[in-house]
Amino acid sequence: MRLRHLREADLDRLVELNADPGVMRFLDRRPPAREAVAAEIAELVAMGERHLGYGRFAAEDHRGAFLGWFGLIVTAEGPAAPSLGYRLCRAHWGKGLATEGGRALVDRAFTDLGAERVTAETMSVNTASRRVMEKCGLRYVRTFHQHFDDPLPGTEHGEVRYEITRQAWHRARTDLGRRTTA
Ligand SMILES: CC(C)(COP(=O)(O)OP(=O)(O)OC[C@H]1O[C@@H](n2cnc3c(N)ncnc32)[C@H](O)[C@@H]1OP(=O)(O)O)[C@@H](O)C(=O)NCCC(=O)NCCS
């Protein structure tokens, strides 16, 4: 799998990805309008230009086929605490790709980008996403509740926040190094 910056020409791919109700199950009742997706891409491209190394990345296989996307997004917490996200086409679930891409972005955040922590949030009931966060080294921090006018099933269980700090990431790498050289 290869990650590259998302670009305006990816609009159809994103619209198609969002059109799958299985993909959107924990995100929205209906896919966002095409115009909204186009506006979001423009915003993300601008973010990537403002904050080099951050933004949203299209995931492709070795032939260039679109697999989905990963994000390392600058939020109100600033570039020192980016938010990790991912959304893959259903045909590519269950192959370890979310873990592979998520780990690559966590590593990049701490090596190239100088982040102090990486955060991630999802619905409490999104077990797959929570498992990916854990496999990328993030740990559960808290559950919180948000108001939605048209809440998805499971909203009553709240949203969860996960994090990994630079220190914890470094410790995990050092432990891994020790185990592989032992
Ligand atoms: C969440 C998502 C990215 C996972 O992608 P993936 O490539 O299938 O994940 P991986 O193959 O890396 O699996 C990671 C772990 O999650 C587990 N997992 C995957 N789907 C699961 C599910 N539905 N229930 C429980 N565990 C699940 C896997 O078994 C694996 O754990 P293991 O190695 O201990 O067995 C994918 O399902 C997706 O795109 N979902 C729709 C969008 C979404 O919900 N994004 C997150 C919003 S915050």
Side-chain angles (χ1 to χ4, degrees), residues 106-129:
V106 168
D107 285 352
R108 174 189 280 189
F110 292 123
T111 51
D112 298 347
L113 305 178
E116 287 306 319
R117 68 184 64 236
V118 173
T119 70
E121 291 179 358
T122 189
M123 285 183 76
S124 176
V125 290
N126 192 346
T127 318
S129 183

PDB file of all heavy atoms in Angstrom, residues 106-129:
ATOM      1  N   VAL A 106       1.231   7.394  12.405  1.00  0.00           N
ATOM      2  CA  VAL A 106       1.664   7.652  13.792  1.00  0.00           C
ATOM      3  C   VAL A 106       3.199   7.799  13.806  1.00  0.00           C
ATOM      4  O   VAL A 106       3.742   8.753  14.387  1.00  0.00           O
ATOM      5  CB  VAL A 106       1.205   6.515  14.744  1.00  0.00           C
ATOM      6  CG1 VAL A 106       1.888   6.627  16.103  1.00  0.00           C
ATOM      7  CG2 VAL A 106      -0.314   6.541  14.907  1.00  0.00           C
ATOM      8  N   ASP A 107       3.883   6.891  13.126  1.00  0.00           N
ATOM      9  CA  ASP A 107       5.357   6.977  13.072  1.00  0.00           C
ATOM     10  C   ASP A 107       5.788   8.304  12.451  1.00  0.00           C
ATOM     11  O   ASP A 107       6.684   8.970  12.948  1.00  0.00           O
ATOM     12  CB  ASP A 107       5.946   5.825  12.238  1.00  0.00           C
ATOM     13  CG  ASP A 107       5.906   4.499  12.992  1.00  0.00           C
ATOM     14  OD1 ASP A 107       5.579   4.508  14.196  1.00  0.00           O
ATOM     15  OD2 ASP A 107       6.191   3.457  12.366  1.00  0.00           O
ATOM     16  N   ARG A 108       5.124   8.681  11.376  1.00  0.00           N
ATOM     17  CA  ARG A 108       5.509   9.926  10.708  1.00  0.00           C
ATOM     18  C   ARG A 108       5.267  11.137  11.619  1.00  0.00           C
ATOM     19  O   ARG A 108       6.072  12.062  11.656  1.00  0.00           O
ATOM     20  CB  ARG A 108       4.710  10.102   9.422  1.00  0.00           C
ATOM     21  CG  ARG A 108       5.005  11.458   8.812  1.00  0.00           C
ATOM     22  CD  ARG A 108       4.104  11.777   7.686  1.00  0.00           C
ATOM     23  NE  ARG A 108       4.547  11.108   6.476  1.00  0.00           N
ATOM     24  CZ  ARG A 108       4.014  11.356   5.292  1.00  0.00           C
ATOM     25  NH1 ARG A 108       3.041  12.220   5.173  1.00  0.00           N
ATOM     26  NH2 ARG A 108       4.448  10.752   4.222  1.00  0.00           N
ATOM     27  N   ALA A 109       4.156  11.103  12.355  1.00  0.00           N
ATOM     28  CA  ALA A 109       3.839  12.233  13.248  1.00  0.00           C
ATOM     29  C   ALA A 109       4.970  12.451  14.250  1.00  0.00           C
ATOM     30  O   ALA A 109       5.329  13.594  14.550  1.00  0.00           O
ATOM     31  CB  ALA A 109       2.521  11.971  13.976  1.00  0.00           C
ATOM     32  N   PHE A 110       5.543  11.353  14.759  1.00  0.00           N
ATOM     33  CA  PHE A 110       6.574  11.501  15.795  1.00  0.00           C
ATOM     34  C   PHE A 110       7.984  11.647  15.219  1.00  0.00           C
ATOM     35  O   PHE A 110       8.835  12.268  15.841  1.00  0.00           O
ATOM     36  CB  PHE A 110       6.513  10.319  16.769  1.00  0.00           C
ATOM     37  CG  PHE A 110       5.262  10.318  17.605  1.00  0.00           C
ATOM     38  CD1 PHE A 110       4.401   9.228  17.598  1.00  0.00           C
ATOM     39  CD2 PHE A 110       4.926  11.427  18.382  1.00  0.00           C
ATOM     40  CE1 PHE A 110       3.234   9.241  18.362  1.00  0.00           C
ATOM     41  CE2 PHE A 110       3.764  11.452  19.138  1.00  0.00           C
ATOM     42  CZ  PHE A 110       2.920  10.351  19.131  1.00  0.00           C
ATOM     43  N   THR A 111       8.222  11.070  14.033  1.00  0.00           N
ATOM     44  CA  THR A 111       9.576  11.164  13.478  1.00  0.00           C
ATOM     45  C   THR A 111       9.756  12.463  12.679  1.00  0.00           C
ATOM     46  O   THR A 111      10.558  13.301  13.044  1.00  0.00           O
ATOM     47  CB  THR A 111       9.912   9.953  12.577  1.00  0.00           C
ATOM     48  OG1 THR A 111       8.859   9.799  11.630  1.00  0.00           O
ATOM     49  CG2 THR A 111      10.082   8.685  13.370  1.00  0.00           C
ATOM     50  N   ASP A 112       8.934  12.653  11.653  1.00  0.00           N
ATOM     51  CA  ASP A 112       9.143  13.790  10.740  1.00  0.00           C
ATOM     52  C   ASP A 112       8.480  15.071  11.216  1.00  0.00           C
ATOM     53  O   ASP A 112       8.922  16.162  10.887  1.00  0.00           O
ATOM     54  CB  ASP A 112       8.555  13.493   9.353  1.00  0.00           C
ATOM     55  CG  ASP A 112       9.220  12.307   8.711  1.00  0.00           C
ATOM     56  OD1 ASP A 112      10.266  11.883   9.225  1.00  0.00           O
ATOM     57  OD2 ASP A 112       8.696  11.810   7.703  1.00  0.00           O
ATOM     58  N   LEU A 113       7.352  14.949  11.910  1.00  0.00           N
ATOM     59  CA  LEU A 113       6.521  16.129  12.135  1.00  0.00           C
ATOM     60  C   LEU A 113       6.658  16.727  13.531  1.00  0.00           C
ATOM     61  O   LEU A 113       6.102  17.783  13.811  1.00  0.00           O
ATOM     62  CB  LEU A 113       5.043  15.798  11.840  1.00  0.00           C
ATOM     63  CG  LEU A 113       4.787  15.217  10.438  1.00  0.00           C
ATOM     64  CD1 LEU A 113       3.326  14.873  10.247  1.00  0.00           C
ATOM     65  CD2 LEU A 113       5.233  16.205   9.359  1.00  0.00           C
ATOM     66  N   GLY A 114       7.320  16.031  14.413  1.00  0.00           N
ATOM     67  CA  GLY A 114       7.568  16.587  15.748  1.00  0.00           C
ATOM     68  C   GLY A 114       6.332  16.689  16.618  1.00  0.00           C
ATOM     69  O   GLY A 114       6.278  17.517  17.534  1.00  0.00           O
ATOM     70  N   ALA A 115       5.334  15.839  16.359  1.00  0.00           N
ATOM     71  CA  ALA A 115       4.112  15.883  17.190  1.00  0.00           C
ATOM     72  C   ALA A 115       4.420  15.406  18.608  1.00  0.00           C
ATOM     73  O   ALA A 115       5.375  14.648  18.832  1.00  0.00           O
ATOM     74  CB  ALA A 115       3.028  15.012  16.567  1.00  0.00           C
ATOM     75  N   GLU A 116       3.594  15.844  19.542  1.00  0.00           N
ATOM     76  CA  GLU A 116       3.750  15.426  20.939  1.00  0.00           C
ATOM     77  C   GLU A 116       2.762  14.321  21.287  1.00  0.00           C
ATOM     78  O   GLU A 116       2.975  13.547  22.204  1.00  0.00           O
ATOM     79  CB  GLU A 116       3.537  16.618  21.886  1.00  0.00           C
ATOM     80  CG  GLU A 116       4.690  17.607  21.887  1.00  0.00           C
ATOM     81  CD  GLU A 116       6.039  16.924  22.181  1.00  0.00           C
ATOM     82  OE1 GLU A 116       6.083  16.038  23.052  1.00  0.00           O
ATOM     83  OE2 GLU A 116       7.035  17.265  21.518  1.00  0.00           O
ATOM     84  N   ARG A 117       1.626  14.291  20.592  1.00  0.00           N
ATOM     85  CA  ARG A 117       0.644  13.225  20.786  1.00  0.00           C
ATOM     86  C   ARG A 117      -0.159  13.064  19.504  1.00  0.00           C
ATOM     87  O   ARG A 117      -0.259  14.005  18.710  1.00  0.00           O
ATOM     88  CB  ARG A 117      -0.276  13.509  21.975  1.00  0.00           C
ATOM     89  CG  ARG A 117      -1.221  14.682  21.790  1.00  0.00           C
ATOM     90  CD  ARG A 117      -2.031  14.949  23.040  1.00  0.00           C
ATOM     91  NE  ARG A 117      -1.149  15.338  24.139  1.00  0.00           N
ATOM     92  CZ  ARG A 117      -1.102  14.721  25.320  1.00  0.00           C
ATOM     93  NH1 ARG A 117      -1.894  13.704  25.578  1.00  0.00           N
ATOM     94  NH2 ARG A 117      -0.291  15.136  26.250  1.00  0.00           N
ATOM     95  N   VAL A 118      -0.704  11.862  19.305  1.00  0.00           N
ATOM     96  CA  VAL A 118      -1.637  11.621  18.203  1.00  0.00           C
ATOM     97  C   VAL A 118      -2.941  11.170  18.842  1.00  0.00           C
ATOM     98  O   VAL A 118      -2.936  10.328  19.754  1.00  0.00           O
ATOM     99  CB  VAL A 118      -1.099  10.549  17.236  1.00  0.00           C
ATOM    100  CG1 VAL A 118      -2.154  10.188  16.191  1.00  0.00           C
ATOM    101  CG2 VAL A 118       0.172  11.040  16.540  1.00  0.00           C
ATOM    102  N   THR A 119      -4.046  11.745  18.403  1.00  0.00           N
ATOM    103  CA  THR A 119      -5.346  11.446  18.997  1.00  0.00           C
ATOM    104  C   THR A 119      -6.242  10.777  17.952  1.00  0.00           C
ATOM    105  O   THR A 119      -5.946  10.841  16.749  1.00  0.00           O
ATOM    106  CB  THR A 119      -6.046  12.738  19.469  1.00  0.00           C
ATOM    107  OG1 THR A 119      -6.447  13.481  18.313  1.00  0.00           O
ATOM    108  CG2 THR A 119      -5.110  13.605  20.303  1.00  0.00           C
ATOM    109  N   ALA A 120      -7.308  10.160  18.410  1.00  0.00           N
ATOM    110  CA  ALA A 120      -8.312   9.616  17.483  1.00  0.00           C
ATOM    111  C   ALA A 120      -9.634   9.511  18.226  1.00  0.00           C
ATOM    112  O   ALA A 120      -9.635   9.283  19.446  1.00  0.00           O
ATOM    113  CB  ALA A 120      -7.887   8.249  16.958  1.00  0.00           C
ATOM    114  N   GLU A 121     -10.716   9.696  17.498  1.00  0.00           N
ATOM    115  CA  GLU A 121     -12.048   9.605  18.109  1.00  0.00           C
ATOM    116  C   GLU A 121     -12.972   8.803  17.210  1.00  0.00           C
ATOM    117  O   GLU A 121     -12.849   8.844  15.979  1.00  0.00           O
ATOM    118  CB  GLU A 121     -12.634  11.011  18.307  1.00  0.00           C
ATOM    119  CG  GLU A 121     -11.883  11.791  19.369  1.00  0.00           C
ATOM    120  CD  GLU A 121     -12.390  13.204  19.608  1.00  0.00           C
ATOM    121  OE1 GLU A 121     -13.336  13.635  18.912  1.00  0.00           O
ATOM    122  OE2 GLU A 121     -11.836  13.868  20.481  1.00  0.00           O
ATOM    123  N   THR A 122     -13.879   8.079  17.829  1.00  0.00           N
ATOM    124  CA  THR A 122     -14.894   7.346  17.069  1.00  0.00           C
ATOM    125  C   THR A 122     -16.091   7.089  17.970  1.00  0.00           C
ATOM    126  O   THR A 122     -16.031   7.355  19.178  1.00  0.00           O
ATOM    127  CB  THR A 122     -14.329   6.008  16.525  1.00  0.00           C
ATOM    128  OG1 THR A 122     -15.274   5.438  15.623  1.00  0.00           O
ATOM    129  CG2 THR A 122     -14.032   5.009  17.631  1.00  0.00           C
ATOM    130  N   MET A 123     -17.166   6.546  17.377  1.00  0.00           N
ATOM    131  CA  MET A 123     -18.300   6.141  18.221  1.00  0.00           C
ATOM    132  C   MET A 123     -17.847   4.987  19.099  1.00  0.00           C
ATOM    133  O   MET A 123     -17.123   4.093  18.638  1.00  0.00           O
ATOM    134  CB  MET A 123     -19.468   5.675  17.345  1.00  0.00           C
ATOM    135  CG  MET A 123     -20.227   6.781  16.663  1.00  0.00           C
ATOM    136  SD  MET A 123     -21.625   6.109  15.719  1.00  0.00           S
ATOM    137  CE  MET A 123     -22.801   5.735  17.023  1.00  0.00           C
ATOM    138  N   SER A 124     -18.328   4.981  20.313  1.00  0.00           N
ATOM    139  CA  SER A 124     -17.964   3.909  21.244  1.00  0.00           C
ATOM    140  C   SER A 124     -18.250   2.523  20.653  1.00  0.00           C
ATOM    141  O   SER A 124     -17.516   1.567  20.891  1.00  0.00           O
ATOM    142  CB  SER A 124     -18.741   4.112  22.541  1.00  0.00           C
ATOM    143  OG  SER A 124     -18.492   3.072  23.408  1.00  0.00           O
ATOM    144  N   VAL A 125     -19.333   2.422  19.862  1.00  0.00           N
ATOM    145  CA  VAL A 125     -19.741   1.116  19.332  1.00  0.00           C
ATOM    146  C   VAL A 125     -18.991   0.721  18.049  1.00  0.00           C
ATOM    147  O   VAL A 125     -19.227  -0.361  17.512  1.00  0.00           O
ATOM    148  CB  VAL A 125     -21.274   1.072  19.076  1.00  0.00           C
ATOM    149  CG1 VAL A 125     -22.032   1.073  20.388  1.00  0.00           C
ATOM    150  CG2 VAL A 125     -21.723   2.249  18.195  1.00  0.00           C
ATOM    151  N   ASN A 126     -18.083   1.568  17.570  1.00  0.00           N
ATOM    152  CA  ASN A 126     -17.310   1.230  16.360  1.00  0.00           C
ATOM    153  C   ASN A 126     -16.092   0.378  16.758  1.00  0.00           C
ATOM    154  O   ASN A 126     -14.955   0.830  16.827  1.00  0.00           O
ATOM    155  CB  ASN A 126     -16.875   2.515  15.625  1.00  0.00           C
ATOM    156  CG  ASN A 126     -16.341   2.219  14.231  1.00  0.00           C
ATOM    157  OD1 ASN A 126     -16.056   1.057  13.899  1.00  0.00           O
ATOM    158  ND2 ASN A 126     -16.198   3.251  13.413  1.00  0.00           N
ATOM    159  N   THR A 127     -16.368  -0.901  16.993  1.00  0.00           N
ATOM    160  CA  THR A 127     -15.350  -1.821  17.515  1.00  0.00           C
ATOM    161  C   THR A 127     -14.138  -1.934  16.590  1.00  0.00           C
ATOM    162  O   THR A 127     -13.002  -1.990  17.060  1.00  0.00           O
ATOM    163  CB  THR A 127     -15.969  -3.230  17.673  1.00  0.00           C
ATOM    164  OG1 THR A 127     -17.264  -3.082  18.224  1.00  0.00           O
ATOM    165  CG2 THR A 127     -15.141  -4.103  18.568  1.00  0.00           C
ATOM    166  N   ALA A 128     -14.393  -1.975  15.271  1.00  0.00           N
ATOM    167  CA  ALA A 128     -13.282  -2.139  14.325  1.00  0.00           C
ATOM    168  C   ALA A 128     -12.329  -0.950  14.434  1.00  0.00           C
ATOM    169  O   ALA A 128     -11.106  -1.117  14.507  1.00  0.00           O
ATOM    170  CB  ALA A 128     -13.818  -2.256  12.902  1.00  0.00           C
ATOM    171  N   SER A 129     -12.902   0.254  14.465  1.00  0.00           N
ATOM    172  CA  SER A 129     -12.058   1.447  14.525  1.00  0.00           C
ATOM    173  C   SER A 129     -11.282   1.495  15.843  1.00  0.00           C
ATOM    174  O   SER A 129     -10.097   1.847  15.866  1.00  0.00           O
ATOM    175  CB  SER A 129     -12.940   2.684  14.367  1.00  0.00           C
ATOM    176  OG  SER A 129     -12.142   3.828  14.352  1.00  0.00           O
TER     177      SER A 129
END
